[in-house]
Amino acid sequence: MPRVLPKPYAERDIQDVESYVRDTVGNISPYIASQEREELVARGIMLVSRMAQALPPEASLEALLHERLGNSLAVYRWRGARRHTEHAHIAAPHAA
């Protein structure tokens, strides 16, 4: 897959945030479609940036990401799938 960011983005103790996020997304499921994978990677990069800003300077970003990033992205994916399913039910025409 081509990179989302034009050059590697380092944040605290993570040397390449995009690669870290891609690995995390790959661990969620090997069956994620490429468009959804790219959306999850972009969402993950944004989450890493937000988490890094919220942490105290001495805290390890990698430790926090190890605990939370995979679960956060899995929940985001699940909620997105639910929204698409609910929208399809609402938008589907009813048979007469």
Side-chain angles (χ1 to χ4, degrees):
M1 285 288 139
R3 294 181 63 89
V4 172
L5 301 173
K7 59 184 179 177
Y9 159 48
E11 187 73 68
R12 296 183 184 227
D13 52 345
I14 304 293
Q15 294 302 312
D16 186 350
V17 169
E18 183 171 343
S19 292
Y20 188 95
V21 171
R22 283 189 182 282
D23 289 344
T24 301
V25 170
N27 290 331
I28 292 172
S29 172
Y31 306 108
I32 299 174
S34 60
Q35 180 181 347
E36 183 181 13
R37 180 178 307 277
E38 294 308 301
E39 289 171 9
L40 287 171
V41 168
R43 174 71 175 184
I45 292 168
M46 188 220 32
L47 287 173
V48 169
S49 175
R50 286 184 178 177
M51 289 178 186
Q53 291 173 2
L55 280 177
E58 68 279 358
S60 168
L61 178 60
E62 196 279 329
L64 177 67
L65 295 178
H66 183 74
E67 284 182 20
R68 303 206 175 184
L69 184 61
N71 288 337
S72 295
L73 291 172
V75 167
Y76 178 78
R77 180 178 184 230
W78 179 78
R79 286 184 178 163
R82 266 187 73 199
R83 270 195 298 268
H84 292 309
T85 302
E86 289 170 359
H87 186 309
H89 288 289
I90 293 169
H94 295 288

